[in-house]
Amino acid sequence: MLLKKYILCGLFAASLTAFTGCDDLFRDTPVDKMSEKDIWKNPMLLDEYVLPWYRNMNSGFSTYVPTTISLVKSASRYYMPWFGDQIVPSKNDYYNAGYGDLLKSNTKEITNWAQVQWSNYYTQIQSVNRLFVNQGEIAEGSQKQRILGEAHFFRAYYYYMLWRQFGGVMLIQEPLDPLNDSRKYPRASYEEMVRAIVDDARAAATVLPLEYDATDEGRITQGAALMLVAKTFQWASSDVFQNQEKTYLGFSDDRSHDMLDSARVAYETLMGLQHYDLIQIAGTDEESIKQEYRNIFLTKNSKESILEVQHSDDGNYDTGFGHKLDRDAAAPHFTGTTAAYTPTQNHVDEYGMRAGLTYDAQHPYVGRDYRFYANILYDGSTYNGHVMDIHYTREGNNEIPGEDLTAYGTSTTAAVTRTGYYMGKFVNEKQQINNDEAYASSQNYIIWRYAEVLLDYAEVMFRLGNTEAARTQVNAIRRRVHMDELPSLTWEQLVNERRVELAFEETSYWDFFRWGIAEEKLNGTSNPLKAMKIVKRGETTTYSISNMNRFPQRVRVFQKMQYYLPIPWDEIRYHGIDQNPDWVEV
């Protein structure tokens, strides 16, 4: 696919961007050693110019977890669900520096990490603004229309990302060089942020196609632009953003109903395209449902997909944009040494029982929601022909760990699951894991899919008081996996359905923020992560759930001020704007 080919070879702008302060924030996007006019006039260079917008919207499964503190500021790429409560890395090295410092609310490292995010987003916005200024130099035609649509989308998208993490920021819609331009910008209000994001996203939706041919598969579509409109209104509707004293932290009055109704219209417009649909599951037994559901997340750019990070088909992550998901998620039987994606008992407990069955603590993995078997590798489950061995065998006073609790190889840092589980969702049983670490996995990273549309719409309708409409959407999700339909719907059931269907996807993490429950859910004291330990002795099996907080390095701390990250202090001084609450310069 041409887009993926460009992503592999045309990242000169993305690879050269780095910021140190406010002067850098508005620095011209690098364009190698050619003049800008060459870019606007050359169709190939023009396509390469937009590629960093794609490459920087999300790292996908291409994560980098530094174990040296000095690297955190410059090179950290994390899998955001690691900061939630559904999945955690089990490797000690991850906790000893960068990731662990963020998890424990180290304000210095959060400040450094926030600057990386801020700089990345504004780099892309600056690049988009430059293209708009020079659009008159671009030859008329379908390419120009598409690129202008992409530009509108990405400016909206990057402001959406800034808004979620920093609140109202400076809305800059033209190239700016502070060395030659003395303009300063105030922080935008929530009203202004919503308007700017929605206007750009709607402009994108009016010119972008519903789909592309194979050469451009993976580019931004009309559906993705409409999803961004809907997501913006949904985020703005949250109760925590109403009646705020500072308008850059929320609305001065209560706009929740207006925002909800706008979200309703946006989601109905998106659904009305009749272009996206759930991938249905034909099988009716546990094994076939498991496999078909798991395959949904291995199918690139399916009819359920709205926006995905396009990872390299060959999996190369030295010269391309592959990743190491399968290698990093693998159990010791498959030569795994990282155990980077281990589901928690907290999440396992979210899977309900099938109709007519009740939970049995002595047989905890029998009769669960079919999605449990697809998403979780548990003791006794079968994966790639191997029966997962995640239990201890008691012999006298000794507990002998099973194969998948015994570190593979001779490395002293090799890890095994600390939770009692390995990840089944996203991983590919057919992926070979060998000694050639240049090649690994190629699954795309899903940002938005149609199941999320239905669940978002259900939430919007529930909050508008139409619980029957909400129940209809939830039951569509449940029918797909052959789960019984709910006769009525509570808020708790709606939330749980989101948590199960969108397991390990970033949405579940950000839900904590817009619902105002991050302090509760991301703190180890109020929501300790839990692990399962299974011990077999003769015919007796003991299942024990423990609190992972007993490992000091894994203590999770979330302070109220972390609802908004600190704006880089150089920007605070340069523009003369307020810092987010409670942050002080370190």
Side-chain angles (χ1 to χ4, degrees), residues 82-357:
W82 279 335
F83 295 96
D85 64 349
Q86 291 189 324
I87 198 165
V88 295
S90 288
K91 190 175 179 67
N92 282 336
D93 283 358
Y94 283 23
Y95 293 86
N96 292 337
Y99 168 72
D101 285 335
L102 295 176
L103 201 67
K104 289 178 283 192
S105 193
N106 180 307
T107 56
K108 180 179 179 180
E109 297 313 318
I110 292 175
T111 299
N112 290 340
W113 188 60
Q115 182 169 319
V116 172
Q117 312 309 311
W118 175 276
S119 300
N120 177 44
Y121 301 148
Y122 268 115
T123 300
Q124 308 315 317
I125 291 169
Q126 174 77 338
S127 173
V128 170
N129 288 339
R130 181 176 294 104
L131 183 134
F132 277 131
V133 166
N134 290 280
Q135 62 181 294
E137 301 294 319
I138 302 173
E140 297 296 330
S142 59
Q143 185 194 35
K144 179 177 182 177
Q145 176 176 301
R146 187 253 299 161
I147 285 179
L148 290 178
E150 290 171 308
H152 278 294
F153 173 86
F154 277 112
R155 186 164 65 182
Y157 180 84
Y158 284 113
Y159 272 126
Y160 174 74
M161 298 291 282
L162 282 163
W163 179 46
R164 286 196 309 179
Q165 297 181 54
F166 296 93
V169 297
M170 300 92 75
L171 285 173
I172 302 167
Q173 297 185 318
E174 61 278 318
L176 184 64
D177 178 4
L179 296 178
N180 301 300
D181 191 328
S182 61
R183 281 176 293 177
K184 308 292 191 295
Y185 287 82
R187 294 188 64 173
S189 68
Y190 257 55
E191 187 75 41
E192 292 168 328
M193 292 298 299
V194 170
R195 188 183 311 119
I197 295 168
V198 167
D199 284 352
D200 260 334
R202 283 175 171 164
T206 61
V207 298
L208 291 174
L210 267 176
E211 60 183 350
Y212 295 90
D213 59 28
T215 59
D216 279 319
E217 192 172 38
R219 288 191 180 276
I220 301 301
T221 62
Q222 180 185 9
L226 291 175
M227 183 67 164
L228 182 53
V229 172
K231 279 287 188 184
T232 300
F233 284 128
Q234 184 193 31
W235 185 270
S237 74
S238 298
D239 291 341
V240 294
F241 305 135
Q242 315 307 317
N243 299 308
Q244 292 290 323
E245 180 182 352
K246 301 290 188 181
T247 59
Y248 53 76
L249 300 180
F251 299 101
S252 59
D253 56 357
D254 190 341
R255 297 291 308 283
S256 57
H257 187 276
D258 291 345
M259 294 295 109
L260 280 170
D261 199 53
S262 295
R264 175 190 62 80
V265 172
Y267 282 115
E268 288 174 353
T269 302
L270 177 55
M271 292 186 289
L273 296 176
Q274 297 185 334
H275 181 73
Y276 306 101
D277 202 357
L278 298 177
I279 297 175
Q280 295 301 319
I281 293 174
T284 57
D285 62 278
E286 187 174 284
E287 179 63 23
S288 59
I289 293 172
K290 177 189 78 174
Q291 291 296 343
E292 288 186 57
Y293 186 75
R294 194 174 282 169
N295 285 340
I296 291 171
F297 305 98
L298 300 178
T299 304
K300 294 189 174 190
N301 306 307
S302 71
K303 67 177 181 179
E304 189 165 332
S305 170
I306 296 174
L307 181 61
E308 298 182 2
V309 175
Q310 304 293 308
H311 282 296
S312 309
D313 286 338
D314 65 4
N316 189 298
Y317 58 89
D318 281 348
T319 61
F321 193 40
H323 54 84
K324 300 188 293 181
L325 173 68
D326 292 291
R327 186 186 301 272
D328 287 344
H333 174 81
F334 302 104
T335 72
T337 60
T338 306
Y341 301 90
T342 53
T344 63
Q345 184 66 39
N346 310 58
H347 176 57
V348 169
D349 289 341
E350 293 175 323
Y351 293 91
M353 303 297 294
R354 301 203 287 269
L357 301 175

Side-chain angles (χ1 to χ4, degrees), residues 470-536:
R471 187 177 71 90
T472 297
Q473 305 307 323
V474 169
N475 281 338
I477 298 291
R478 292 177 65 83
R479 278 197 307 272
R480 188 256 289 274
V481 289
H482 299 271
M483 287 297 291
D484 55 300
E485 297 188 22
L486 300 176
S488 60
L489 183 67
T490 65
W491 174 254
E492 290 72 24
Q493 289 172 317
L494 174 57
V495 169
N496 195 78
E497 193 64 30
R498 288 182 68 86
R499 299 273 294 168
V500 169
E501 177 61 31
L502 303 177
F504 317 145
E505 299 177 39
E506 285 191 27
T507 295
S508 294
Y509 172 78
W510 289 111
D511 282 349
F512 291 154
F513 286 77
R514 63 187 184 86
W515 291 338
I517 58 174
E519 280 179 274
E520 172 195 350
K521 296 297 185 180
L522 301 183
N523 260 313
T525 52
S526 53
N527 184 30
L529 299 185
K530 297 183 181 299
M532 172 67 81
K533 180 179 180 181
I534 304 173
V535 179
K536 295 187 177 183

Side-chain angles (χ1 to χ4, degrees), residues 260-470:
L260 280 170
D261 199 53
S262 295
R264 175 190 62 80
V265 172
Y267 282 115
E268 288 174 353
T269 302
L270 177 55
M271 292 186 289
L273 296 176
Q274 297 185 334
H275 181 73
Y276 306 101
D277 202 357
L278 298 177
I279 297 175
Q280 295 301 319
I281 293 174
T284 57
D285 62 278
E286 187 174 284
E287 179 63 23
S288 59
I289 293 172
K290 177 189 78 174
Q291 291 296 343
E292 288 186 57
Y293 186 75
R294 194 174 282 169
N295 285 340
I296 291 171
F297 305 98
L298 300 178
T299 304
K300 294 189 174 190
N301 306 307
S302 71
K303 67 177 181 179
E304 189 165 332
S305 170
I306 296 174
L307 181 61
E308 298 182 2
V309 175
Q310 304 293 308
H311 282 296
S312 309
D313 286 338
D314 65 4
N316 189 298
Y317 58 89
D318 281 348
T319 61
F321 193 40
H323 54 84
K324 300 188 293 181
L325 173 68
D326 292 291
R327 186 186 301 272
D328 287 344
H333 174 81
F334 302 104
T335 72
T337 60
T338 306
Y341 301 90
T342 53
T344 63
Q345 184 66 39
N346 310 58
H347 176 57
V348 169
D349 289 341
E350 293 175 323
Y351 293 91
M353 303 297 294
R354 301 203 287 269
L357 301 175
T358 56
Y359 178 76
D360 180 354
Q362 282 303 114
H363 302 89
Y365 308 131
V366 176
R368 306 297 286 269
D369 185 316
Y370 289 112
R371 289 167 289 190
F372 167 76
Y373 304 100
N375 293 349
I376 309 295
L377 302 183
Y378 58 93
D379 184 55
S381 64
T382 300
Y383 182 78
N384 195 14
H386 167 63
V387 177
M388 301 299 294
D389 186 0
I390 321 176
H391 67 268
Y392 296 85
T393 301
R394 188 68 178 262
E395 296 181 0
N397 293 325
N398 298 320
E399 291 181 350
I400 311 301
E403 181 180 9
D404 295 314
L405 290 171
T406 303
Y408 174 82
T410 59
S411 171
T412 58
T413 63
V416 301
T417 177
R418 297 274 187 172
T419 66
Y421 303 101
Y422 289 94
M423 185 166 74
K425 187 175 181 178
F426 303 133
V427 294
N428 184 359
E429 292 182 72
K430 298 178 181 179
Q431 176 63 52
Q432 182 180 6
I433 301 173
N434 54 34
N435 293 327
D436 184 358
E437 293 195 0
Y439 291 88
S441 302
S442 61
Q443 301 94 313
N444 281 355
Y445 184 87
I446 299 171
I447 295 178
W448 295 322
R449 58 189 177 96
Y450 194 62
E452 185 170 347
V453 173
L454 299 184
L455 289 168
D456 284 357
Y457 183 66
E459 180 186 326
V460 167
M461 298 307 289
F462 188 96
R463 293 181 59 206
L464 285 171
N466 192 338
T467 55
E468 184 58 26

Side-chain angles (χ1 to χ4, degrees), residues 18-29 118-119 126 176-181 184 568 570-571 574-575:
F19 290 149
T20 57
C22 65
D23 290 352
D24 293 314
L25 189 152
F26 302 107
R27 182 177 295 166
D28 290 348
T29 302
W118 175 276
S119 300
Q126 174 77 338
L176 184 64
D177 178 4
L179 296 178
N180 301 300
D181 191 328
K184 308 292 191 295
D570 283 349
E571 309 303 335
Y574 181 82
H575 291 282

Side-chain angles (χ1 to χ4, degrees), residues 17-65:
T17 55
F19 290 149
T20 57
C22 65
D23 290 352
D24 293 314
L25 189 152
F26 302 107
R27 182 177 295 166
D28 290 348
T29 302
V31 288
D32 208 5
K33 297 179 180 179
M34 61 193 71
S35 72
E36 285 192 3
K37 288 187 177 181
D38 291 331
I39 294 175
W40 316 131
K41 299 294 186 181
N42 186 308
M44 180 72 75
L45 294 179
L46 193 57
D47 270 342
E48 288 201 7
Y49 183 86
V50 310
L51 288 176
W53 306 347
Y54 282 92
R55 177 62 180 83
N56 287 279
M57 66 179 175
N58 193 300
S59 295
F61 289 120
S62 181
T63 60
Y64 173 68
V65 184

